[in-house]
Amino acid sequence: MSRHDGRSADQLRTLRVERPYFGSAPGRVLVQAGNTTIFCSASVSEDLPPWKKAQENPTGWVSAEYNMLPGSTAPRKSRRADGRGTEIQRLIGRSLRAVIDFKALGPRMITVDCDVLQADGGTRTLAITGGFIALVDALHEVEDPTFEPKNVFTESVAAVSVGIVDGVPVLDLDYPEDHDAGVDMNAVMTGTGNLIEVQGTAEREIFCRQQLNELLDLAESGIAQLTQMQRDTLGDRWPMDTSSKS
């Protein structure tokens, strides 16, 4: 299959990472997949949410906020909160929390902010992939000699979109492909290939179990590449392998 941008069906968009990016947050990274560009930052607070403080032995928490800046799309995107943005930030938060040991995190609140500077498809998945990098960096800046940031992570997490375009399963859809896709799916997975969340929809045509399997295989191959990018980016900050943890 020849895609409109020349990629093969199983090829990710070109990835770019700038880290640390501008700002004062301890974790900050600019991530790009093709033309989709997102600034992910992570901030650490010793002040827990009230519902956490009320627990007998409160542990930490991770939350996320997602926003598309007005100039990220044409026409201009309103700054007003909407249901789509709320749903996406909940997905980002769930995905990041899935790989966190809250006891090891301790009584700390981590907020990951994902601001879309340019949207060309796959913003929610790239926000998860970049948000993980920002989260790791933020925890490495905690000023506590007894705190070991690598112990906080049980796994790594990344996400990617897949879909069926013109009858062919493809990886990492940009906006034109997402707009025309018969089937659209987002997959969130750990670096070892375990599933965290799958969101799949028959946009214009129904799909069978075999096609679902093909899409998941494509997603797994994409996640493996994204995980390698995260590992290369973080270097010696990469969380320890799950196999080395008790």
Side-chain angles (χ1 to χ4, degrees):
M1 176 188 179
S2 178
R3 300 169 74 173
H4 74 95
D5 58 2
R7 286 184 293 151
S8 60
D10 60 353
Q11 186 176 357
L12 291 171
R13 288 175 288 179
T14 301
L15 291 166
R16 304 176 187 87
V17 180
E18 189 171 343
R19 160 187 171 271
Y21 198 62
F22 299 109
S24 57
R28 53 194 190 275
V29 58
L30 186 77
V31 289
Q32 294 179 275
N35 291 324
T36 292
T37 307
I38 305 179
F39 175 46
C40 300
S41 62
S43 304
V44 183
S45 173
E46 303 295 327
D47 188 23
L48 291 172
W51 65 272
K52 267 287 184 181
K53 288 181 180 179
Q55 296 177 352
E56 184 175 352
N57 294 301
T59 56
W61 190 247
V62 174
S63 68
E65 295 192 13
Y66 167 95
N67 185 43
M68 293 181 66
L69 298 186
S72 63
T73 63
R76 177 186 181 277
K77 178 78 168 62
S78 171
R79 289 186 185 272
R80 292 194 302 270
D82 57 26
R84 176 183 179 275
T86 300
E87 184 270 326
I88 290 176
Q89 68 186 30
R90 287 175 177 169
L91 168 65
I92 298 168
R94 287 195 304 271
S95 301
L96 296 174
R97 288 192 295 271
V99 297
I100 296 294
D101 181 334
F102 290 105
K103 185 176 180 180
L105 176 60
R108 297 177 176 88
M109 173 73 178
I110 316 297
T111 303
V112 178
D113 289 287
C114 302
D115 292 294
V116 180
L117 308 184
Q118 183 173 358
D120 188 29
T123 61
R124 72 186 68 195
T125 53
L126 187 61
I128 293 168
T129 301
F132 177 77
I133 297 173
L135 177 57
V136 173
D137 276 341
L139 291 181
H140 275 269
E141 299 301 320
V142 171
E143 296 181 354
D144 179 352
T146 66
F147 178 68
E148 176 48 67
K150 291 186 177 182
N151 289 343
V152 173
F153 298 95
T154 60
E155 275 273 20
S156 64
V157 58
V160 74
S161 65
V162 289
I164 298 178
V165 180
D166 295 331
V168 179
V170 295
L171 176 68
D172 194 14
L173 283 66
D174 62 11
Y175 178 76
E177 291 177 324
D178 183 71
H179 182 268
D180 295 334
V183 177
D184 181 27
M185 181 179 294
N186 299 303
V188 185
M189 303 176 72
T190 69
T192 55
N194 291 314
L195 291 168
I196 293 175
E197 188 155 340
V198 177
Q199 300 176 334
T201 307
E203 300 283 359
R204 290 180 170 82
E205 58 192 62
I206 59 175
F207 58 109
C208 66
R209 178 63 178 271
Q210 180 180 345
Q211 290 172 309
L212 172 61
N213 291 339
E214 291 174 356
L215 290 172
L216 290 175
D217 287 344
L218 264 182
E220 186 174 10
S221 71
I223 295 292
Q225 296 174 66
L226 292 168
T227 300
Q228 188 60 53
M229 178 275 288
Q230 292 172 322
R231 182 188 291 268
D232 293 342
T233 298
L234 288 165
D236 60 6
R237 288 187 169 185
W238 180 253
M240 66 180 69
D241 294 334
T242 305
S243 59
S244 67
K245 296 185 178 183
S246 58

